[in-house]
Structures are given as structure tokens and as C-alpha cells.
Amino acid sequence: MAEAVNIKRLAQELNISIATVSKALNDSYEISQKTKNRVWNLAKELNYTPNPAASNLRSNKTKTVAVVIPCVANNFFSLSIKGIEEIARQYGYHVLIYQTHENIEAEIAFTNSLLNGRVDGILTSVSSSEYNSEYYTNLVKKIPLVFFDRVYENLDAVRVTTDDYEIAFQATEHLIECGCTRIAYLFGLENLPAGKARFAGYLDALKTHGIAFIEQLVVKYHDDEEFNLQQIKELLEKHKPDALFSSIEEFIIPAYRACRELSLQIPNDVKVLSFSNLSTAALLNPSLTTISQPAFEIGREAAKCLFKILNNKQLDDEQNIILKSVLSKRESTGC
Amino acid sequence: MAEAVNIKRLAQELNISIATVSKALNDSYEISQKTKNRVWNLAKELNYTPNPAASNLRSNKTKTVAVVIPCVANNFFSLSIKGIEEIARQYGYHVLIYQTHENIEAEIAFTNSLLNGRVDGILTSVSSSEYNSEYYTNLVKKIPLVFFDRVYENLDAVRVTTDDYEIAFQATEHLIECGCTRIAYLFGLENLPAGKARFAGYLDALKTHGIAFIEQLVVKYHDDEEFNLQQIKELLEKHKPDALFSSIEEFIIPAYRACRELSLQIPNDVKVLSFSNLSTAALLNPSLTTISQPAFEIGREAAKCLFKILNNKQLDDEQNIILKSVLSKRESTGC
DNA sequence: CCGGTAGGCGAAAACGTTTACGTAATTAAA
DNA sequence: TTTAATTACGTAAACGTTTTCGCCTACCGG
């Protein structure tokens, strides 16, 4: 559109070589302060900005990272992205977004398309459909990668996670303290470490308090709102749980609907507790007891790790950063 | 990391020129089917993917668009991004994300940094802090740009918006039909066409029904949760409105809190209605009457427009696409 | 007066594509 | 049979940087 203003143009106007201009722009020690000032002034005057493609091609750096996640329209992930983006700004990086929709093939396809130098590194929260450890084992050898929340374990890559086991244990104990003994478990992310840890926390809390685990009280998540609703209604009718412990946010709406449609009072007839990052949890009817993950902080931490790696800084701590979730007790567990 | 596989390598292995390989990969008519097949097979076998930087540099196209929005952690914007990303996948484009945090200087800085060929086009929902028409007047001459939801008018650029005036009129009428006469207006986006249209719809509905506009019943949004809460409490105490009509989602939590803290019953003492894309509106206590915008569709439409422009397809319709919002009547307006 | 050593700068190659243009061989038209 | 057109491919330049290497000047110690 506009007449190109590039390094060559600057060189001509100043009667110096393009090499000198380039070095001056990059504040090289080889160039005198006087020349640098001349270059910087003219660059500002002509509104020069370097061409990213040329720079990327030559230097093999893009100052860009990719975020690969299941879906951006989710409180947890949108908060994570917010955190990532803020840190990226500080480090001068650009952020590409890819949604997998929980489809591992899409996930692999996108990720592969990033390996030709499009990005310097990847931040990912993997899809729940499958646990394909082999793919990621190879991937982490090819490009700097940081997992957040939904991770692969035992790989040579940084992971940023939360205290899923502990907080699930604690939440289950809370329900037990409220007098519940038939605590149903709404099971999500069952293929992933996070999902397994949450379930383990639930099981261990039961065991610790001498409550038998009842398999019929477990409902697994399906990507079908109506189906989940029916499952929960069936659960409530057939097995009369006195609490619903949901391991993912997606169960909240069907759980509330199911109780409403069956005329069950929360928390009198059945108590409800869920992992959730909904900002409106306190305004629900009744207000919902939640386990909220520090999504924003997770994004920030993951991004910080990646940029440290990209800048060849040592990661002082170990490879697994664990942030604390928060249990907020509200009316839905009523005690 | 891995040994580079580029078109030069393919050319050597097949004993043909790199020009032929390049053309074959791009399915050029100049190349015989036989040669194309040989190239394609070897490319697949060696896992060749073109280097984006080189391609961008030479062709001056990036197959990348930027999304510039106030904040990704917002139901409306995260849904929009979801829509944009899905369409981008279909067209084979990549999506960069930039958050302005409602800061027009950041907005301009980011946008300027995209003009050196980093992206082929921009999708933006502008910040509410200021209406800087001059900047965008120049910008749209330099790069294909589509506005969505928060737009600048009278520019040579496509806009995707909603029926803000009509739906606000309709919502105000709904409150009037419920018997309200002192309808307070919680005013957001006042610098932007969307905000002005909503307010105009409110005013005109009042006038149509012979209700005088009371200036004291207007509260303007500030980026300070506590301040907004205090303002609403003051409003409720001093001016006794019988309804709160909020033009933005951000007022919901303080509005509910204010009513709770002042022991005002919704909807008996005061009715509440808000623009909102909260998925949990129906689960609130009481359930919230909302105007929801088709955020996902807005993102999709905006992206489609941009990609049509980038592919030099004619935009059949005019430059302003208007999608319909939905008024969902619930308990908070109780009638 | 000579050798060495910085400091400051330029020439040119390289990164991996795309593409304008040229050319040879084959086919179609005259 | 000659000419024109078409098909299929190659040569080489170009995109805008970064970076290696080398050159020149000035200066300093001996």
C-alpha cells in the first residue's frame, strides 16, 4: 500500500550501508552512538518497522508462541489466555490461538503445522479425548513446550498444574462434614492426570472417613448436554445420592436443571459442589460451592516458564509448578 | 533441530528444479500431473511443510489475521473468538490475539505493529475509552479491516453489529409492561455507537409510553467494581428506581450484590434486566432476564467478511451486517 | 618507526520461498 | 513442410533482513 520503508531506504538516506543500519537498529556494540542516533531518528521519522517475515527467515526466530487449547469459550481457558497474553506483551511476543475442540487429531495436526518455524514455542492444554503420550514424547524434543492444567506426565517438559488431588479430597471432606454419605461423582477428564487426580482425591477422602465407594454413583461426561442431563436425572432417581460432586464446570447447568426438574431442593435434598471458574457462582440459585482454579495465574506462570526457556534462562525450580485451587463454600452445600 | 527439509532438498532428490517443485506444490497448471504426484509423494514422505517466513516474505501474504479486542476473558469476546477461529480454520488462516484492556493507546500501538506485513487483515472490537475516528479513518486505507460489535461508523470498512437500538427499546417496553415507571439505566460503552444506540432505545421507549426520563436514574460504568457497587446502592437508596436496566454485563454482579445488601427483593422491590452473554443467567438467584447477543455468530460473520475481502470476493450485501439479539424473559423481571 | 589493537563500518552471502521470463520439445494449424 | 501455439520445465532474481568476514583508520606502546 504505502511506499515501502525498509532498511535499504534508511541506508540510502543516511549514506551508510544496510549492514550498519541493521546493526544500529539492533543496538550493536559495533556501531558508534552517533550513527545509532542518526539511524534511530530517521527510523522514527519515517515510521520504519522491520518486516517480520524477513527477520524471521533470516534469524529463525519469530517472537511468536502458539496456544493450543480445547476451546476458547470457557471460563478457565479464556482466563488462561488472558494471563498468557499479558505476559507475552511484556516479553514482546505475539500469541497465536488454536482450538482443538477436544479432538486429538486436530490437536496433532495443528501442532505439527507449527513445527516449520511458525512459532518459537507452544503452550498447550491437551484434549481429553485420548491420552497419546507417544506423540508428545517426540514433540517435546522438537520445540519448546509448556503444558498447563491438562498435561502429559513423565515427559521432558514443564507442567503448570493445580493441586487437584488435595482440593478434591478437601471438597469431599467438606461434603462428608455436611453429613453426606452417598456422594455422587460427576466424572470429567477421565483420561487425563487432572481428572484422575480429582477422582483419586474423592476416593481417598471417602476411604479416610470410612465411607464405601459406590460405583453406581459415578456419571461420566459426554459431549452432549441432553445426554448428561438424562444421566444425572437417572442417577438422582435411581440411586438417591445426597450430594453431587462435579469434577468439571460443564456439569453445573445440567445438575441444576435436573434437580429443578425433579423438584429436589439444593442443598436440603441434595448438595452440590463443583470445580468451576464461573464468576457468577455466588449469584446462582442457590449460590454454588466451588473449587476454582487460578486460571489467570496458571496462564501467567506457564507463559513465564516458556519465555524463560526461550531466552535460555535457567528455570530455577523444578519442572512441575503446582498452584493452589480455592474451595469456596456457599449455599449449595449448605453448612 | 531436525535436518532441514525444504524445496531445495525435494528438488535434489527428484532431480528437478526448485521452481518446478514450488509450482508443483502449489498445484500450478504449468506442471504435469505426473511430476506433481512425484513431488507430492516425496513431500509427504519426508514430512515437508513450507517455511512460512520465506513464503510470507516472497509472496507478501501471511495467511494470518489479528483479532484486537478489549479482553479475552469476557463471555462475549471469548465466544466471538471461538467463532472467528472456527472460520479461520476453514479458510486456512492463523489467528493472532491482542488485548487492549480498553486502552486506546495500546490499541493503536498493537494495530500499528501489524501494518508491516505481519497479518493480512484485522478483526477488531474497539476500546470504549475514547472514540478516535481519525486514526481508524487512516487505518482502513492501509489494511483490510472488519469491525465487530464495537465499531467506528462512517468509514470505508465492514461492520458486524447487533440491533442494539431495537432490542433496548423492546427490553424497556418489557419493563414498562411489567409496571415499571422509574427505570434506572446502567450506562456502559457511552462513547461507542452500540452504547449510544442502547441508550437511545431506552429513551425512545420511555417517550413512546409517556414516561419522563429522569437523569438521576442513570449510572455510568467505571472500571472499579467497588465504585460501581456504591453507585448502584446510592441510586437504589436515594432515587428508588423500580427497575435496573443494565446495558452491559459488568453491572450484573454489583447490581445483585447491591440489592442483596440493601435487602431489596428482585423482582418484587426492583426488577433487573441486563445485556449479557452469561450461560448461567437462567440459574441465577433469581434467574436473570437478559438480552443476549449472538456473539459466536458475530465472530463467524465478521471472519467470513474479512476472508471474502482477502480473497477478493465481492461482498454481496452492504457494509453493515446487523444480527439480532434475543430478549429472554426470566424471574428478575417477574411478569 | 613499526607492530598490534581496537573501533567503526561495508560487502556479500544467506535464509526458503515465489515468479517473471526463457527455452526446448511437442502438437496443432496452415 | 513450415509456422504457430501449447506444454512442461529451468534460470535467476527478488523479498528484507541478519551476520560473517574483512577492511580501513586511528591510536598506543615499545
Side-chain angles (χ1 to χ4, degrees), chain B residues 39-306:
Chain B
V39 172
W40 292 343
N41 289 334
L42 184 65
K44 178 165 284 182
E45 187 185 329
L46 297 185
N47 239 316
Y48 167 80
T49 51
N51 180 301
S55 177
N56 297 348
L57 177 59
R58 180 55 228 246
S59 68
N60 235 350
K61 317 229 149 165
T62 62
K63 280 277 185 180
T64 304
V65 297
V67 179
V68 181
I69 52 172
C71 180
V72 64
N74 165 293
N75 295 292
F76 176 81
F77 291 119
S78 64
L79 276 169
S80 304
I81 295 175
K82 184 182 178 188
I84 291 168
E85 207 267 354
E86 286 194 21
I87 300 296
R89 286 302 144 253
Q90 291 174 19
Y91 283 77
Y93 275 74
H94 301 257
V95 180
L96 283 166
I97 299 282
Y98 299 85
Q99 296 186 100
T100 67
H101 296 293
E102 307 282 7
N103 179 338
I104 189 133
E105 281 138 36
E107 186 175 310
I108 291 177
F110 291 151
T111 309
N112 280 337
S113 81
L114 301 171
L115 297 178
N116 49 21
R118 184 175 293 279
V119 299
D120 297 341
I122 300 178
L123 291 154
T124 188
S125 204
V126 305
S127 81
S128 60
S129 61
E130 205 178 310
Y131 195 77
N132 186 339
S133 196
E134 191 188 336
Y135 176 73
Y136 279 96
T137 306
N138 291 320
L139 183 66
V140 297
K141 295 175 193 160
K142 298 184 190 164
I143 192 167
L145 183 144
V146 170
F147 291 102
F148 65 98
D149 193 52
R150 299 174 173 210
V151 307
Y152 279 89
E153 293 177 328
N154 305 320
L155 300 185
D156 186 24
V158 174
R159 312 192 297 277
V160 179
T161 57
T162 52
D163 53 346
D164 288 297
Y165 174 86
E166 291 80 5
I167 201 77
F169 189 100
Q170 192 183 327
T172 309
E173 270 194 328
H174 169 59
L175 289 170
I176 294 170
E177 284 161 11
C178 291
C180 300
T181 55
R182 297 180 59 82
I183 303 174
Y185 190 83
L186 308 183
F187 204 160
L189 308 177
E190 55 176 325
N191 295 317
L192 299 181
K196 290 178 180 169
R198 293 174 191 184
F199 189 57
Y202 160 77
L203 288 181
D204 284 1
L206 291 183
K207 185 178 289 180
T208 300
H209 290 267
I211 298 177
F213 166 62
I214 304 169
E215 201 170 342
Q216 286 80 10
L217 293 182
V218 174
V219 164
K220 291 188 177 174
Y221 178 79
H222 288 78
D223 188 21
D224 176 343
E225 283 208 25
E226 209 48 43
F227 183 78
N228 292 327
L229 176 64
Q230 291 311 321
Q231 275 197 301
I232 296 175
K233 286 175 80 168
E234 230 180 278
L235 166 75
L236 289 167
E237 288 185 313
K238 282 199 191 159
H239 303 291
K240 310 282 182 197
D242 51 17
L244 300 178
F245 179 9
S246 165
S247 61
I248 54 170
E249 187 169 289
E250 284 75 6
F251 275 122
I252 296 176
I253 292 182
Y256 269 61
R257 274 186 61 193
C259 292
R260 198 164 293 181
E261 292 179 15
L262 296 176
S263 300
L264 292 170
Q265 295 286 329
I266 307 173
N268 296 340
D269 300 326
V270 58
K271 306 199 192 308
V272 179
L273 186 159
S274 181
F275 274 84
S276 168
N277 288 280
L278 282 178
S279 59
T280 53
L283 302 181
L284 294 190
N285 181 19
S287 65
L288 175 66
T289 295
T290 57
I291 296 166
S292 60
Q293 297 175 283
F296 180 70
E297 278 301 329
I298 292 174
R300 290 176 56 95
E301 282 305 319
K304 280 184 195 169
C305 285
L306 181 58

